[in-house]
Amino acid sequence: MPKRILSGVVTSNQNAQTVTVSVERRLTHPIYKKTIRKSKKYRAHDENNQFNVGDKVSIRECAPKSKTKRWEVMTDEMMQAYLSEKAEAAKAQQVSDEQRHEEREAAEH
């Protein structure tokens, strides 16, 4: 199962190798149809203490690092690897879609 990736803003970096990230999501109220903002705080592992309060970061799920940490901050290398992996998956999906389309066209004619 793929790891979830969320983006948010660092709200605290007081603890060693840990940052608190506030992730905001927007949803529409089911009855009133008004857009509501909900936020949740996650504690994420920051190996080199490189992120400060106010920084926009992406966090991803990981194996538990401590009692409260189940997330880790994605560094530039992690983001590059994730984006290249995503691009390769999209290309593979496009190729398989084209093959399926060609097979369907051949079967119809």
Side-chain angles (χ1 to χ4, degrees), residues 50-71:
Q50 61 187 11
F51 298 102
N52 296 314
V53 175
D55 291 349
K56 286 185 173 278
V57 295
S58 294
I59 58 175
R60 72 173 179 186
E61 275 184 317
C62 66
K65 304 248 184 215
S66 72
K67 180 179 176 183
T68 57
K69 289 196 290 188
R70 308 291 190 262
W71 297 83

Side-chain angles (χ1 to χ4, degrees), residues 37-53:
R37 296 188 318 174
K38 288 199 172 197
S39 63
K40 185 172 180 181
K41 289 184 177 181
Y42 297 93
R43 292 170 59 81
H45 186 68
D46 177 14
E47 186 71 36
N48 301 322
N49 294 322
Q50 61 187 11
F51 298 102
N52 296 314
V53 175

Side-chain angles (χ1 to χ4, degrees), residues 44-103:
H45 186 68
D46 177 14
E47 186 71 36
N48 301 322
N49 294 322
Q50 61 187 11
F51 298 102
N52 296 314
V53 175
D55 291 349
K56 286 185 173 278
V57 295
S58 294
I59 58 175
R60 72 173 179 186
E61 275 184 317
C62 66
K65 304 248 184 215
S66 72
K67 180 179 176 183
T68 57
K69 289 196 290 188
R70 308 291 190 262
W71 297 83
E72 62 186 356
V73 178
M74 293 183 71
T75 59
D76 291 335
E77 297 85 29
M78 290 178 179
M79 282 300 288
Q80 293 299 327
Y82 169 71
L83 293 174
S84 65
E85 183 179 302
K86 193 173 178 182
E88 289 173 11
K91 190 172 279 189
Q93 180 68 39
Q94 187 175 12
V95 168
S96 68
D97 287 347
E98 289 174 359
Q99 289 175 347
R100 192 176 321 117
H101 180 70
E102 290 171 1
E103 290 171 1

